[in-house]
Amino acid sequence: MQYEIKHIHESIGVTVVYVTHDQGEALTMSNRIAVFNDGKVQQLSSPDQLYEKPVNSFVAEFIGENNTFAGEVYDISKDMCKVKVNGGEILANPISVKTKGEKTTVSIRPERALINPKSSMDNNHKGKIEEVIYHGDHTRVRLSLLGNSDFILKVPNSSENLDIKLGNTINIGWNSQDARALDPK
Amino acid sequence: MSKNKEFVKFEKVDKSYDGKILVVKDLNLDISEGEFITMLGPSGSGKTTCLMMLAGFETPTNGEIYLDKNPISNIPPHKRGIGMVFQNYALFPHMTVYENLAFPLRVRKISKDDADKKIDKALSMVSLSGFENRMPGQLSGGQQQRVAVARALVFDPSVVLMDEPLGALDKKFKRKHAI
Ligand SMILES: Nc1ncnc2c1ncn2[C@@H]1O[C@H](COP(=O)(O)OP(=O)(O)OP(=O)(O)O)[C@@H](O)[C@H]1O
Ligand SMILES: [Mg+2]
């Protein structure tokens, strides 16, 4: 039915204003999505922008999954900031933070964090595997990393056999561009 | 001809039902002609209220809504060319599928010949040709939803508002909690 509505829209060109609280529906059907919370539009973007570039913690949390770290900015330039978190330091993309000392929540999509990254990434950390769940097309891995014991990774099952075993410690990397320093939750 | 980028325009729209709490706050939103735009948000965030103001069942407390550059308050609801699928997609239970679709056409004084053609076309769009004489109670939930979509489209509206048209299917809840 989702696809039927989308096809009808494409074939007759009518303007559609669609309401849902199902993000899957919204992402597959829309040209643009307005995310509402408490009577206010939080973000108005195309589906890919919304998912990949959430502008605040509410949107990052509401759309898709994300790994979060609460911390404090201790150094900042135009396109990079250093955030002190419980177990160490993260290099992040300053989206909603402007000055040293600000509290922030850093958001990283699970698919942006890689195991044993081949190319160099500016964030590298050790994580301990706490849980492994097979999902057919991918394996979902829960790690404890930098004080966060709920850090989720999605490993495509086409990947070469990685050392994903309960209790193992593995190297995790991500790019600071993909770690978005947003408003504190 | 270029498409109107401000086919629907919410300008500084606030809405309060009780005169105290704003359930929609300073909404500014331009919708292009032919666009598919979705309002997404948790329960009670003001989505349905926005649709109701656009359809004309509620009026903004502050601000103005424009449809093709005209302030909507100047256009009577049946002349707005807006089709709607409601949150509970209620069909008229005592009317056949054909009669459900004929209703918005009769309100708009469309001749029977034209109405029959439009009903054929709308039912074929939702893959329900041949279901004209069924009562809503004789349809599955998904089929009822399609009839509701067909009814919203049958009079060739320029804008269709759909409020959780797939909401009654349990698929949504599965998806929402899926990982
Ligand atoms: N007719 C009304 N009178 C008074 N308050 C109302 C009325 N309709 C809605 N509200 C209130 O306005 C707020 C926004 O409601 P609305 O129906 O727009 O939310 P929604 O985003 O569509 O939620 P849902 O996803 O649950 O359908 C809610 O707090 C609701 O209780
Ligand atoms: Mg609603």
Side-chain angles (χ1 to χ4, degrees):
Chain A
M1 191 63 192
Q2 244 180 79
Y3 297 105
E4 277 178 12
I5 291 178
K6 193 175 154 84
H7 290 149
I8 290 170
H9 167 252
E10 281 160 5
S11 67
I12 66 178
V14 64
T15 305
V16 178
V17 186
Y18 192 92
V19 163
T20 184
H21 45 247
D22 180 339
Q23 48 157 312
E25 251 173 62
L27 291 172
T28 49
M29 298 173 85
S30 322
N31 298 121
R32 284 187 305 161
I33 300 170
V35 180
F36 277 71
N37 189 36
D38 196 20
K40 284 219 67 117
V41 174
Q42 305 292 314
Q43 185 167 356
L44 172 65
S45 300
S46 59
D48 56 325
Q49 287 287 306
L50 196 65
Y51 181 81
E52 284 163 34
K53 301 198 156 79
V55 298
N56 62 37
S57 287
F58 176 82
V59 176
E61 190 87 343
F62 194 72
I63 313 284
E65 258 194 303
N66 74 142
N67 294 308
T68 58
F69 293 95
E72 194 180 302
V73 177
Y74 75 93
D75 198 6
I76 185 163
S77 64
K78 199 168 135 282
D79 49 9
M80 178 102 77
C81 62
K82 290 183 181 169
V83 177
K84 189 175 286 169
V85 302
N86 248 338
E89 153 191 333
I90 294 176
L91 293 181
N93 189 350
I95 304 298
S96 344
V97 296
K98 295 201 170 52
T99 52
K100 276 188 209 179
E102 268 184 80
K103 296 248 184 289
T104 181
T105 298
V106 179
S107 160
I108 305 156
R109 295 290 187 204
E111 64 276 14
R112 297 285 160 163
L114 303 181
I115 299 175
N116 291 329
K118 286 206 183 69
S119 54
S120 76
M121 291 180 137
D122 53 10
N123 283 273
N124 281 287
H125 300 282
K126 297 245 182 268
K128 180 162 169 266
I129 300 179
E130 305 281 3
E131 196 177 3
V132 180
I133 303 173
Y134 182 71
H135 273 273
D137 60 340
H138 72 278
T139 297
R140 190 182 160 82
V141 182
R142 183 169 64 81
L143 303 164
S144 51
L145 185 152
L146 288 176
N148 178 351
S149 61
D150 216 6
F151 191 95
I152 302 299
L153 284 180
K154 288 178 182 168
V155 186
N157 280 348
S158 55
S159 334
E160 58 203 73
N161 225 343
L162 298 159
D163 211 10
I164 302 171
K165 291 207 180 62
L166 213 62
N168 279 6
T169 296
I170 50 177
N171 292 316
I172 304 296
W174 65 82
N175 284 320
S176 54
Q177 266 326 86
D178 297 327
R180 300 172 70 80
L182 303 172
D183 52 307
K185 273 192 293 196
Chain B
M1 208 182 73
S2 76
K3 296 219 163 161
N4 184 352
K5 292 261 187 228
E6 298 178 1
F7 192 57
V8 176
K9 186 180 185 68
F10 288 83
E11 193 177 74
K12 298 183 179 154
V13 171
D14 293 332
K15 175 67 183 177
S16 176
Y17 286 105
D18 61 4
K20 285 186 224 126
I21 301 162
L22 294 180
V23 298
V24 174
K25 299 167 194 161
D26 192 28
L27 177 64
N28 294 284
L29 181 61
D30 295 347
I31 303 171
S32 320
E33 198 169 356
E35 187 171 29
F36 193 123
I37 197 158
T38 296
M39 296 175 173
L40 173 69
S43 190
S45 57
K47 308 178 298 290
T48 297
T49 300
C50 291
L51 287 197
M52 289 301 174
M53 291 191 286
L54 183 51
F57 300 115
E58 293 290 347
T59 47
T61 306
N62 298 301
E64 181 63 82
I65 303 171
Y66 300 86
L67 185 60
D68 207 6
K69 313 262 192 231
N70 299 307
I72 211 157
S73 44
N74 296 347
I75 319 168
H78 68 281
K79 295 225 167 118
R80 292 181 188 181
I82 295 179
M84 258 204 98
V85 183
F86 292 94
Q87 195 156 7
N88 51 11
Y89 63 90
L91 298 171
F92 304 117
H94 57 291
M95 292 185 190
T96 63
V97 168
Y98 175 90
E99 290 161 349
N100 264 279
L101 267 67
F103 184 80
L105 298 170
R106 205 162 58 234
V107 174
R108 288 170 180 79
K109 307 211 168 20
I110 311 274
S111 74
K112 169 123 175 37
D113 275 3
D114 284 349
D116 284 352
K117 281 185 203 125
K118 287 180 190 296
I119 291 170
D120 274 355
K121 190 173 140 223
L123 283 178
S124 99
M125 263 192 298
V126 296
S127 316
L128 283 178
S129 304
F131 283 70
E132 287 79 356
N133 296 324
R134 297 269 192 107
M135 302 301 280
Q138 299 171 316
L139 299 172
S140 72
Q143 290 167 338
Q144 291 182 35
Q145 288 172 343
R146 291 168 199 223
V147 175
V149 170
R151 187 179 58 181
L153 290 168
V154 72
F155 58 92
D156 301 319
S158 58
V159 182
V160 187
L161 312 182
M162 298 190 184
D163 197 348
E164 305 249 12
L166 311 180
L169 292 185
D170 62 356
K171 178 206 81 195
K172 177 177 78 185
F173 298 101
K174 285 192 201 135
R175 184 188 276 276
K176 208 174 139 196
H177 298 293
I179 45 176

